[in-house]
Amino acid sequence: MRTKEIIDGWEQLTVAQYESVMEIVKEHPDDCARYIVEELYGIEDAERLPIPEYSCYVANLRRFINEPVLKAKLTPSASYTLNGRVYRVDITPTAFTTGQYIDLTNYMKEGASLTDILSVVIVPEGRAYNDGYDMAKAKADIGSLPCTAGFAVVGFFGRWSKASIRTFLRFLTKTLRKGETKKIDPKLMEKLEKEESAIYSAEGKS
């Protein structure tokens, strides 16, 4: 029996592969093993594999596929080199640009992909978010990040308290009000004020 390098843990999957696996599980809930094997091992038709080889692949998938991606808290790196390009990790909300905050909240609300969410906080070194670089290329690079590292970034950011976000919103809205009123987008101000009000309301109910 000739098998390819066995995959038996989430740490061996990239962000892009993780997203593919999740999509397969949604589309083929009753027969996902075959399609996952084909996706991860680059096999055209898993049904043509010898039974021992196919069983080996599936057995190893079952060892981790229902396990959490991260079994313990993992501190993300300050930067990652992806496809030869260096990316920094912006995980402090108070250091976000307005665009980062708005895009991140929208992605979260919309249930966007892990790649989209990470693209807001993993930014090419020396660049401001979504300014002066190819976002499509950046997302492709982020797709090559180990999925465990991707979840470490999201998990670390998620541990910021509501109070931290509230402080950021208060600072942002006050800063914008100090600027020239004509240059402030009324819709942006309205959105930020609603977000701040919603967080205060949620805290009052908790």
Side-chain angles (χ1 to χ4, degrees), residues 93-200:
T94 51
F96 277 10
T97 64
T98 304
Q100 274 177 300
Y101 172 76
I102 291 174
D103 284 353
L104 184 63
T105 53
N106 285 338
Y107 280 150
M108 291 293 206
K109 289 176 182 178
E110 296 166 1
S113 69
L114 180 59
T115 296
D116 284 341
I117 293 171
L118 290 173
S119 72
V120 179
V121 295
I122 298 179
V123 180
E125 188 62 62
R127 299 288 187 180
Y129 169 67
N130 201 20
D131 184 21
Y133 63 93
D134 188 331
M135 179 60 78
K137 182 181 290 185
K139 288 184 178 182
D141 287 345
I142 291 168
S144 69
L145 183 73
C147 71
T148 47
F151 273 92
V153 172
V154 172
F156 189 89
F157 176 80
R159 291 196 289 275
W160 278 80
S161 66
K162 289 180 180 179
S164 296
I165 301 297
R166 184 184 66 190
T167 299
F168 166 66
L169 286 170
R170 184 186 301 162
F171 167 79
L172 184 59
T173 52
K174 286 183 177 180
T175 299
L176 287 174
R177 289 194 189 101
K178 289 179 181 178
E180 295 182 35
T181 306
K182 292 181 181 180
K183 294 183 180 181
I184 301 174
D185 185 344
K187 291 184 179 180
L188 171 60
M189 285 300 304
E190 182 181 0
K191 180 178 178 62
L192 291 170
E193 287 168 348
K194 283 183 178 179
E195 293 285 355
E196 183 179 8
S197 177
I199 290 176
Y200 271 111

Side-chain angles (χ1 to χ4, degrees), residues 12 18 24 30 46 69 90 112 135 137 172 182 200 203-204:
Q12 292 174 264
Y18 168 83
I24 289 170
D30 299 321
V69 175
D90 293 342
M135 179 60 78
K137 182 181 290 185
L172 184 59
K182 292 181 181 180
Y200 271 111
E203 289 183 341

